Amino acid sequence: MEETRKEETQPVEAQSEEAQSAKEQPVEEKYKKRNLWFYPLGTVGRDMIYVLFTNFVYLYALYTRDLTNAQLAAITGIMVAARVFDAINDPLMGNIIERTRSKFGKFKPWLVIGLISTCIVVYVTFNTTLQGWPFIWVFGIVYFLYSITYTMNDIAFWGMIPALSKDNNSRNQFTSRATLFAGIGNVAASVAIPLFTTGAYALGGNAQTAYGRIALIICILAPALSLFTIFGVKENRDDMNKPATKVSFKKIGQTIIGNKQLLIMCVCFLIQEIGNNIAVGGVGANYIYFEFGYEGGLYSTFTTIGMAVTGLMMLFYPMISRKINRKPLLKIMVFLAVIGYAIQFISGMVMPTGDTVKFWVFTIGFMLANLGQYGLYLVMMISIINTVEYNELQFGTRDEGIITSMRPFLTKLATSLVVVITTVTYIICRVTDYTNEIQELEQKANEGLITADEKAMLIDQVIQSVGHTQNMGLLICLTIVPCIFMLVSWFIYHKFYKLDEDEYKRICDELDLRRQKVSN
């Protein structure tokens, strides 16, 4: 009789839980579908800002300022120092987000504050007319401010993914969808910026005016598009009921160093991102200008075709990841990238300068290399996110804000090291000898001393004077160097990263059992 009573009473509780679960499930599914659109839409404009400042601020300085080697070195030092500063700033910001308690959640306040302040900083950067060392001083101030303001927004945005879903497949969907829309913003900016700042289509007829106008347009678009994420996304806020943890450098260090799988991924991701960013960090643009002509449309075509194929990877990654595990997938991606780099290097070595066929062959090689590199990027980004559960299993805390802050920090650190590689390449290849001449002609056009047609003719003469040795140096930096970085990153990942699909599932199952025991 007692067993009967127990069976009678338990179903009442079970039915209550099931009814509650059934009531909540449709709501959760509704939010997921909406989040899958509104969350990634918010990153289109922010990534346009990122591309403008990260990939083009160095080119902006080269083609609008007469720079000595000392000033070029100062710009490099500023960029590197700002990224070292981010070594403290990024994880600290992640910790601050973790302890934020507001009626808007812990992510959205920083999305708003970070984006508005970033837009102000970026607009000022591209609308100053200072020259020489005064420009270098202002550049240093705004670059450090950008490091602070963009970090607020970037860590808050990507830190939301673990709060949107704990399911591995759903995370793949959110990650790939967000990177797809980020890619749209990236490609849009990568096409529009060179097209409308360099050559015949430069807004206002010169680089200085054009960069200022482009900055204004992007700084209006970014906040407008971010409204989708701010007002449309519903994230999980269950942890808001827990007491806020104190901001602690010890806690940040323990999380990063203590989580061995995270540490391995930090090394892999940093090395891969260094190689992946060399092409868009300035070397690619200058190689195209010196080899094929000073026209922004050429570089826009190069980047558009090269990056468009990554959209397929972003779009189909969730489906691919269900059929092919990450480590076998990486082998395929590395193979494609190696073929792409080989096509670029061989065409650059053997085909004649300025040849149209050479341009298209070179661009197709970049497309294959970029496809492979982007496959690595996606896998490694998800692998970083998956260390959240590993951290929870090892230490009992998820520390999402700190862990997800490593991705933007490593990306920015990589871009700063790319600046070092780029600057060394420029100095060895005497790139500023030619860019300073072009800058002088751009300045004369800005002052109305020469016409646009005269400027174009004189710049063509400068480009024709670029030596074969200079172009070969840029080619090596553009192909051989990133290929080596990629192979080293892949080797470390394959050898030391243990959180494959089966191990991740085992960890999640064990965590579920723990939660059930606690709830009982």
Side-chain angles (χ1 to χ4, degrees):
M1 290 292 292
E2 288 182 8
E3 289 180 6
T4 304
R5 289 193 192 99
K6 287 179 182 178
E7 289 175 1
E8 289 175 351
T9 55
Q10 281 182 333
V12 174
E13 296 175 1
Q15 287 171 7
S16 176
E17 291 178 2
E18 289 173 5
Q20 181 68 18
S21 176
K23 184 179 178 181
E24 292 177 355
Q25 187 64 22
V27 175
E28 182 179 331
E29 287 302 312
K30 182 181 73 171
Y31 283 140
K32 179 185 174 182
K33 291 176 183 178
R34 189 176 75 180
N35 287 349
L36 276 170
W37 285 106
F38 284 1
Y39 174 70
L41 274 169
T43 197
V44 176
R46 351 172 297 114
D47 271 81
M48 293 180 77
I49 284 182
Y50 178 81
V51 169
L52 173 62
F53 201 90
T54 304
N55 296 349
F56 287 94
V57 73
Y58 201 175
L59 287 172
Y60 166 71
L62 277 176
Y63 287 100
T64 63
R65 303 299 188 274
D66 186 357
L67 298 173
T68 64
N69 282 343
Q71 290 167 344
L72 199 67
I75 288 174
T76 304
I78 288 165
M79 291 180 169
V80 174
R83 295 319 181 214
V84 172
F85 170 74
D86 276 343
I88 300 172
N89 186 34
D90 280 36
L92 180 61
M93 193 66 229
N95 202 304
I96 291 172
I97 290 171
E98 279 295 319
R99 70 188 302 272
T100 297
R101 299 292 183 269
S102 77
K103 65 179 181 179
F104 305 107
K106 63 183 180 182
F107 300 109
K108 291 181 180 179
W110 296 107
L111 286 175
V112 175
I113 296 169
L115 188 57
I116 292 174
S117 55
T118 296
C119 288
I120 295 171
V121 170
V122 170
Y123 177 79
V124 170
T125 302
F126 289 94
N127 283 276
T128 178
T129 57
L130 294 173
Q131 292 282 345
W133 285 106
F135 168 75
I136 302 299
W137 282 106
V138 170
F139 182 87
I141 294 169
V142 295
Y143 205 92
F144 270 87
L145 287 175
Y146 172 83
S147 296
I148 296 169
T149 58
Y150 191 81
T151 293
M152 294 178 189
N153 179 273
D154 198 42
I155 292 178
F157 181 83
W158 291 105
M160 289 184 77
I161 290 180
L164 296 176
S165 177
K166 294 180 182 178
D167 175 67
N168 190 44
N169 185 55
S170 294
R171 281 189 184 176
N172 286 341
Q173 288 180 299
F174 279 111
T175 302
S176 62
R177 186 75 66 89
T179 52
L180 171 63
F181 280 77
I184 292 171
N186 191 307
V187 171
S190 297
V191 171
I193 294 169
L195 181 62
F196 295 117
T197 60
T198 307
Y201 298 104
L203 299 176
N206 63 88
Q208 176 63 58
T209 303
Y211 273 107
R213 292 180 182 179
I214 285 286
L216 176 62
I217 293 168
I218 292 176
C219 288
I220 292 172
L221 276 175
L225 291 169
S226 71
L227 296 177
F228 286 103
T229 301
I230 294 163
F231 293 107
V233 170
K234 177 71 173 178
E235 75 273 25
N236 188 326
R237 298 182 182 178
D238 290 346
D239 59 346
M240 297 288 288
N241 298 322
K242 301 176 184 177
T245 57
K246 293 181 179 179
V247 176
S248 166
F249 288 105
K250 183 179 179 181
K251 171 66 174 174
I252 295 170
Q254 285 176 341
T255 300
I256 297 170
I257 297 173
N259 189 329
K260 290 183 174 56
Q261 292 299 296
L262 173 63
L263 196 58
I264 289 167
M265 282 312 308
C266 287
V267 174
C268 290
F269 192 80
L270 175 63
I271 295 172
Q272 189 270 336
E273 278 292 271
I274 292 172
N276 192 31
N277 280 285
I278 286 176
V280 295
V283 174
N286 280 302
Y287 179 79
I288 294 296
Y289 295 156
F290 288 1
E291 183 73 17
F292 302 105
Y294 185 71
E295 278 297 333
L298 286 173
Y299 186 58
S300 294
T301 303
F302 173 74
T303 54
T304 301
I305 295 175
M307 294 180 177
V309 71
T310 62
L312 296 175
M313 176 59 66
M314 301 173 203
L315 193 60
F316 293 108
Y317 180 78
M319 181 181 69
I320 294 171
S321 65
R322 288 194 291 268
K323 297 181 180 297
I324 307 175
N325 286 347
R326 286 190 289 271
K327 287 190 175 181
L329 178 61
L330 281 188
K331 289 183 180 179
I332 298 171
M333 294 295 105
V334 168
F335 179 72
L336 285 174
V338 169
I339 291 175
Y341 285 126
I343 290 172
Q344 284 186 286
F345 183 73
I346 293 170
S347 65
M349 289 288 291
V350 303
M351 299 181 77
T353 298
D355 184 64
T356 302
V357 175
K358 176 179 181 177
F359 173 79
W360 289 109
V361 171
F362 191 81
T363 301
I364 290 170
F366 177 62
M367 178 183 70
L368 288 174
N370 205 40
L371 175 61
Q373 286 277 23
Y374 201 81
L376 267 73
Y377 171 82
L378 271 179
V379 169
M380 291 188 179
M381 186 167 68
I382 291 168
S383 297
I384 289 175
I385 293 172
N386 285 350
T387 64
V388 169
E389 282 70 30
Y390 178 81
N391 197 78
E392 186 177 3
L393 182 69
Q394 295 292 317
F395 306 109
T397 56
R398 293 174 64 79
D399 298 322
E400 297 163 335
I402 297 173
I403 290 173
T404 55
S405 74
M406 296 310 298
R407 186 209 60 81
F409 160 62
L410 292 168
T411 299
K412 288 184 282 186
L413 179 59
T415 56
S416 72
L417 296 175
V418 167
V419 171
V420 175
I421 295 171
T422 301
T423 301
V424 171
T425 303
Y426 287 172
I427 291 173
I428 292 173
C429 298
R430 297 180 16 248
V431 168
T432 52
D433 289 358
Y434 308 103
T435 59
N436 282 342
E437 288 186 52
I438 294 172
Q439 178 279 146
E440 185 178 349
L441 295 170
E442 289 279 10
Q443 188 62 32
K444 286 181 178 179
N446 185 31
E447 295 171 359
L449 299 177
I450 58 175
T451 65
D453 289 339
E454 289 173 330
K455 184 192 78 170
M457 181 188 67
L458 292 170
I459 289 177
D460 281 343
Q461 293 175 7
V462 174
I463 295 298
Q464 289 171 13
S465 69
V466 177
H468 179 73
T469 304
Q470 281 74 32
N471 280 345
M472 285 300 100
L474 292 175
L475 178 65
I476 291 170
C477 185
L478 190 59
T479 56
I480 303 300
V481 175
C483 188
I484 292 171
F485 275 101
M486 177 193 67
L487 290 171
V488 171
S489 175
W490 169 69
F491 174 79
I492 295 172
Y493 183 93
H494 183 75
K495 187 78 173 175
F496 299 106
Y497 186 70
K498 305 301 180 185
L499 299 182
D500 58 16
E501 286 78 358
D502 292 337
E503 178 63 10
Y504 179 76
K505 184 179 183 304
R506 185 194 70 78
I507 290 172
C508 289
D509 290 343
E510 187 171 335
L511 290 172
D512 287 340
L513 287 174
R514 284 187 185 181
R515 296 186 191 103
Q516 290 174 14
K517 289 178 181 178
V518 172
S519 62
N520 291 334

